[in-house]
């Protein structure tokens, strides 16, 4: 059998997509030993794709191969794994096709340790967690969405995450598991906690820029939307249209989930267009989502010069020695 697979891989190149399909068909037929021989032949032929080692280890376990052999394959995956988080996403998606939910989600959890600010990771984790039906993974992935997903559709993704977490907690209450329900609600609140939020809001066919500098001097603006301490700038528009209309409302929002202690300086820059009333509203929220939340709102008049403001953070949660 091994010789036959060697001949296949010595012949015309089998595409990565077709190799994945072949392995999936064999997996569904529970031909685990054949998959092992197929993938081992692929390795001998120098065919290395991101998911190969993880799938090979999975199939070796199902085929009853010795634990030491499985361990060697997993070690090879670690040696090969210089591709970082993008490679992990490919592998997790492939493992999901084989319904290896636990392995896929564990891999994504490892990826989140390397780069928690990758929204694709959390959205993929959400999808796989739902397929697995595992409550803990569903909670973990939704909390990750609330903390780290701030792309174009962030509001929709956040609303979905909140609904799922609320539904899970309510179901636990009905099952007489109130302590577990409260634990999930606490995790939800922690995931939504934001040390500092600065919002710039205006109405009219105009473009304004919010520029924020943190205590270390890192700048966050439309040119650089995320800082080394994971402060980020997001944009909200009143309609889905790409053309500005006088009746539309707009906002640029700076979010720093775990802030540095010290002064955050920020400025508002009028770029082009016409703002209704010639003013904009700036709102600063500290300790958002906690009993200590404070809000300060100010109306500013726009002109040729930037409007400069600042706010002081005294109880920031950023730890310079660790990622958030």
């Amino acid at each position: 059998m091994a010789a036959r697979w060697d001949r296949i891989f010595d012949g015309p190149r089998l595409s990565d997509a077709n190799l994945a399909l072949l392995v999936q068909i064999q997996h569904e037929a529970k031909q685990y030993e054949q998959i092992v021989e197929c993938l081992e032949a692929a390795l001998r032929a120098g065919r290395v794709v991101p998911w190969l080692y993880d799938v090979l280890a999975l199939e070796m376990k199902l085929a009853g191969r010795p634990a030491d052999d499985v361990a060697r394959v997993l070690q090879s995956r670690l040696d090969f794994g210089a591709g970082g988080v993008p490679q992990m996403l490919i592998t997790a998606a492939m493992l999901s096709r084989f319904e290896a939910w636990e392995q896929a989600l564990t891999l994504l959890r490892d990826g989140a340790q390397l780069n928690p600010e990758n929204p694709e990771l959390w959205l993929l984790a959400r999808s796989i967690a739902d397929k697995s039906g595992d409550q803990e993974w569903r909670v973990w992935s939704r909390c990750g969405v609330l903390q780290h997903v701030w792309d174009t559709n962030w509001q929709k993704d956040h609303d979905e995450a909140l609904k799922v977490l609320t539904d899970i907690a309510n179901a636990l209450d009905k099952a007489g598991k109130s302590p577990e329900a409260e634990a999930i609600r606490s995790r939800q609140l922690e995931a939504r906690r934001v040390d500092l939020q600065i919002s710039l809001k205006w109405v009219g066919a105009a473009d304004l820029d919010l520029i924020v500098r943190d205590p270390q001097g890192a700048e966050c603006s439309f040119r650089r939307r995320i800082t080394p301490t994971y402060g980020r700038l997001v944009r909200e528009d009143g309609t889905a249209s790409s053309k500005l209309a006088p009746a539309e409302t707009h906002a640029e929002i700076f979010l720093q989930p775990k802030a540095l202690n010290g002064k955050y300086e920020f400025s508002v820059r009028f770029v082009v267009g016409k703002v209704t009333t010639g003013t904009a509203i700036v709102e600063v929220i500290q300790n958002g989502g906690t009993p200590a939340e404070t809000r300060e709102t100010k109306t500013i008049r726009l002109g040729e010069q930037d409007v400069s403001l600042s706010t002081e953070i005294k109880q920031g949660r950023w730890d310079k020695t660790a990622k958030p």
Side-chain angles (χ1 to χ4, degrees):
M1 182 67 72
R4 188 187 73 174
W5 285 116
D6 286 335
R7 288 194 296 273
I8 290 174
F9 285 103
D10 285 340
R13 181 178 177 84
L14 185 68
S15 70
D16 291 348
N18 285 336
L19 175 59
L21 180 60
L22 173 62
V23 172
Q24 184 176 4
I25 292 172
Q26 290 179 313
H27 177 84
E28 291 172 353
K30 299 184 179 181
Q31 297 174 337
Y32 308 129
E33 191 62 44
Q34 287 194 36
I35 298 174
V36 171
E37 293 180 354
C38 169
L39 295 180
E40 287 179 337
L43 286 173
R44 287 194 295 272
R47 291 291 301 280
V48 179
V49 290
W51 51 264
L52 193 148
Y53 287 107
D54 291 89
V55 173
L56 176 56
L58 171 66
E59 300 299 331
M60 289 176 74
K61 289 180 182 179
L62 294 173
R65 291 290 187 93
D68 288 346
D69 291 348
V70 177
R72 279 194 291 272
V73 170
L74 291 174
Q75 183 59 50
S76 296
R77 189 259 279 177
L78 293 175
D79 295 340
F80 173 70
V85 173
Q87 179 177 296
M88 288 179 168
L89 297 183
I90 295 172
T91 301
M94 186 64 183
L95 288 170
S96 176
R97 291 173 62 175
F98 292 92
E99 300 185 1
W101 318 124
E102 187 72 20
Q103 293 94 322
L105 289 163
T106 299
L107 187 63
L108 291 175
R109 184 183 61 194
D110 293 342
Q113 293 294 320
L114 296 174
N115 180 12
E117 299 306 311
N118 187 322
E120 293 180 3
L121 183 151
W122 295 107
L123 297 178
L124 178 59
R126 179 184 69 181
S127 174
I128 297 175
D130 284 349
K131 292 175 183 176
S132 76
D134 184 275
Q135 176 181 289
E136 173 54 31
W137 283 120
R138 296 187 75 208
V139 171
W140 172 78
S141 63
R142 262 54 181 212
C143 288
V145 167
L146 291 174
Q147 286 181 295
H148 304 295
V149 175
W150 296 97
D151 55 6
T152 305
N153 297 316
W154 72 268
Q155 188 64 65
K156 179 180 177 181
D157 291 326
H158 282 214
D159 289 344
E160 190 274 348
L162 290 172
K163 182 181 184 305
V164 169
L165 291 170
T166 299
D167 289 347
I168 291 174
N170 289 343
L172 288 170
D173 278 332
K174 291 180 180 179
K177 299 179 179 179
S178 294
E180 293 181 33
E182 288 306 311
I184 289 174
R185 293 188 179 102
S186 295
R187 290 171 66 180
Q188 173 185 312
L189 289 173
E190 181 64 21
R192 298 185 70 191
R193 182 176 176 181
V194 177
D195 284 357
L196 175 62
Q197 176 177 322
I198 302 172
S199 300
L200 169 66
K201 302 176 183 179
W202 72 96
V203 178
D207 187 19
L208 307 183
D209 285 342
L210 175 64
I211 304 165
V212 182
R213 294 176 184 82
D214 71 19
Q216 293 182 343
E219 182 177 293
C220 190
S221 67
F222 79 98
R223 295 181 184 276
R224 182 179 181 180
R225 293 184 178 272
I226 189 165
T227 70
T229 55
Y230 302 132
R232 57 174 63 78
L233 189 72
V234 297
R235 170 90 178 206
E236 287 185 345
D237 291 307
T239 74
S241 172
S242 61
K243 294 182 179 180
L244 299 178
E248 290 181 358
T249 59
H250 309 278
E252 287 197 355
I253 305 169
F254 172 78
L255 296 150
Q256 182 82 65
K258 295 183 179 180
L260 294 156
N261 286 324
K263 182 180 291 186
Y264 280 77
E265 299 177 337
F266 57 99
S267 57
V268 176
R269 179 171 297 166
F270 174 77
V271 180
V272 68
K274 184 177 181 180
V275 177
T276 303
T277 73
T279 62
I281 296 174
V282 173
E283 182 180 46
V284 177
I285 303 174
Q286 291 196 22
N287 302 309
T290 75
E293 178 178 302
T294 62
R295 292 173 178 258
E296 182 181 357
T297 303
K298 184 174 184 178
T299 300
I300 60 172
R301 182 156 295 280
L302 303 167
E304 294 182 359
Q305 301 298 319
D306 293 355
V307 179
S308 298
L309 301 162
S310 67
T311 188
E312 187 85 15
I313 296 293
K314 296 181 179 180
Q315 296 180 327
R317 295 178 298 143
W318 176 262
D319 181 352
K320 296 179 181 178
T321 64
K323 292 182 178 180

